[in-house]
Amino acid sequence: MATEGKQGLAADVRTLTEAGSETAQDGTRTPQEEELHKARLSAKAKRKLRKSSSRDSGSGRESFSDNAEAAGIKGKMGDKKSRSGKGRGLPKKGGAGGKGVWGTAAEVYDVEQPDIYDPNYDDDKQGETVYQTVVPELDDCEFEKAVTPIIQEYFEHGDTKEVATLLHQLNLGTKKSKLPFLSVTMSLEGKASHRELMSRLLADLTGKRLSVNDVASAFDQLLRDLPDLILDTPEAPQMLGQFVARAMADHVLPAGFLDSYKGKVDCEQARVALDRAAVLLSMKRGVRLDNVWGVGGGLRPVKQLVKEMNLLLKEYLLSTDAAEAELCLQNLEVPHFHHELVYEAVVMVLESTSGDASDLIVKLLKSFWESGFVTLDQMNRGFMRVFDAMPDISLDVPNSYSTLKGFVDHCHQQGVITKALQDQCPKREARRSASEDGSNCVAGAAQ
């Protein structure tokens, strides 16, 4: 049938072409019209060809279905059942498949957790959202820039809780062992009070921000770097030994820290530090070495400070070395208590029987004043305390008023005190001396 349709269509095309050619021979069309006419005829022929092809394909399907029925194959073209005839006759997927089916009977579904990578995921509908701040780990340069100011401020306020709070805000990561190393190195270059504060800080941070292994690793590095540390701090081996002893007594270092170095130390400085630690631990077995650095600053008792200042003045009167006296006073670390030194120095002049003491004390006070080590406030407070105590001092030293007047005038001449302070120097009252003379006469008449 398809062959016959195609043959008829070809005949029609030839007829139309011949008709067009006859018309062209008559000379009634131009060449452009002739080409347009041919194109129309060709398009019309193609449309007829497509229509005939679609009719032929429909007839082919009908013939195929007829042949299929003749061959005994069951079902239609769209049937999804097995055509091999070997199926078990059961529904697919156990009856759980198909459109509109939610699964097999009595099947329980778990709560499906939402996938955050799902394009339809909406975090606003998933309950409360928790945001966490991620702090990146510090590198070597950032670590030193961040930790150094914290340790320097700690040397001023001495609050270990403040340091722990500031360190909690930093992500030290694998650099925790560098914290004790940097802190101890800074304290070696500082004062004895700084080393005492550092020992307390290590004791408070161990177990919270630092582990025993972190501190042990830091001290291992300090022992290896001793040849470099002694260039800035010649006493570094002895100081590091005291640090090790104090840390072991405070249970900051493991008990076998010293034993792990026996017979393994080649560095002479490290051997000195370990020997120093062993000696201190053997002397203070079972006792915390709280005074290994001494008691510095305002932690000293007042009586002890007064005693040390008196000793300082007596040594100065013997040696006349003002620089050594200033160094000793600086090691006491009590700038708020310098007025006591001024008070004791003036009282020593009043009680002295030699004339050299007055000149030496004026020289010492002038040295303190010119260097700025003793401030104007501390100098004035020291002299005012003497002025207020003169009634009691005069009981033991009868000529104290005249001696004080000469000493104050000398200090003013040397620029140690101001004119206002000089004018406040007390004088013995005439009324009081007259009453004292009358009482002496009455006492003599009674005798």
Side-chain angles (χ1 to χ4, degrees), residues 19-40:
S21 61
E22 291 176 359
T23 306
Q25 291 176 1
D26 295 340
T28 59
R29 293 189 180 91
T30 62
Q32 293 82 0
E33 292 177 349
E34 183 66 24
E35 292 179 0
L36 181 62
H37 183 67
K38 289 181 180 181
R40 290 176 178 174

Side-chain angles (χ1 to χ4, degrees), residues 81-192:
K81 293 182 180 181
S82 174
R83 298 181 179 87
S84 62
K86 297 182 181 180
R88 296 179 296 172
L90 299 176
K92 285 186 177 182
K93 300 180 181 179
K99 185 177 180 180
V101 179
W102 286 9
T104 59
E107 183 176 357
V108 180
Y109 292 93
D110 296 333
V111 178
E112 184 177 358
Q113 297 296 331
D115 186 7
I116 61 175
Y117 300 104
D118 189 352
N120 297 324
Y121 177 80
D122 188 2
D123 55 351
D124 294 336
K125 298 181 180 179
Q126 306 304 325
E128 184 179 359
T129 303
V130 179
Y131 297 94
Q132 295 181 351
T133 303
V134 179
V135 181
E137 182 178 350
L138 298 176
D139 57 16
D140 294 337
C141 182
E142 293 177 348
F143 174 84
E144 187 170 353
K145 290 182 179 180
V147 175
T148 300
I150 297 176
I151 301 302
Q152 291 176 346
E153 292 179 1
Y154 170 68
F155 289 155
E156 299 295 333
H157 58 71
D159 188 358
T160 58
K161 294 182 180 179
E162 179 69 17
V163 177
T165 303
L166 295 175
L167 292 177
H168 182 70
Q169 300 174 2
L170 303 177
N171 184 9
L172 301 181
T174 58
K175 298 179 178 60
K176 290 185 177 181
S177 61
K178 291 187 177 181
L179 176 61
F181 175 81
L182 179 61
S183 303
V184 173
T185 303
M186 293 176 61
S187 64
L188 289 177
E189 300 174 357
K191 306 175 184 177

Side-chain angles (χ1 to χ4, degrees), residues 222-224 226-227 237 240-241 261 265-276:
L222 287 168
L223 290 171
R224 288 193 295 267
L226 268 179
L240 186 58
Y261 279 95
V265 181
D266 297 331
C267 179
E268 182 180 355
Q269 290 82 7
R271 191 180 298 109
V272 171
L274 295 174
D275 292 343
R276 175 66 174 169

